[in-house]
Amino acid sequence: MNRQGIGAVLLFAGIVLYGMIHIGTIIHLPDVTIWFNQWGRYLQATFETGGVIGLILAILLFIIGVILLLPRPFSDLSKGRVMKEISERNREFDEKYGKIE
């Protein structure tokens, strides 16, 4: 399986896991008796249902999946390789088809 395939699987797994944790949290949300705390009622309900680890795992799977789906690493963008490649392709196009003015 290639990099994009693994990224798509991880992204989908993160979304499905987050959806399952979210449904359990929303069902338990009316039973939360704490109206004010540092994290809010949603995370309190997630903590009470035991979904904090699953929530963190879902977020990590989502982020890793998105990173794997990116076409190039971020280091290539910072070195200006992309802009150099764009200008090279623009020059090749101008040579082949002539400059449009």
Side-chain angles (χ1 to χ4, degrees):
M1 187 178 271
N2 60 5
R3 181 178 164 162
Q4 273 99 17
I6 294 171
V9 168
L10 291 177
L11 180 69
F12 183 71
I15 291 171
V16 169
L17 181 60
Y18 177 77
M20 292 177 0
I21 298 294
H22 182 71
I23 290 171
T25 300
I26 294 300
I27 289 173
H28 182 70
L29 194 59
D31 297 331
V32 174
T33 58
I34 298 174
W35 286 93
F36 178 75
N37 66 359
Q38 182 178 2
W39 302 102
R41 291 184 68 209
Y42 181 81
L43 285 180
Q44 182 65 32
T46 306
F47 180 75
E48 288 180 7
T49 58
V52 175
I53 295 173
L55 182 67
I56 293 170
L57 183 63
I59 293 170
L60 286 176
L61 286 173
F62 182 82
I63 291 171
I64 292 170
V66 167
I67 289 172
L68 289 176
L69 283 175
L70 291 175
R72 294 177 184 242
F74 287 115
S75 61
D76 287 350
L77 296 175
S78 65
K79 293 179 183 177
R81 293 181 187 173
V82 174
M83 290 306 295
K84 189 182 292 185
E85 185 176 335
I86 289 172
S87 63
E88 178 66 26
R89 289 187 182 186
N90 189 26
R91 185 188 60 78
E92 291 173 3
F93 180 84
D94 288 343
E95 287 177 0
K96 186 174 183 179
Y97 298 106
K99 234 179 186 177
I100 299 174
E101 293 182 26

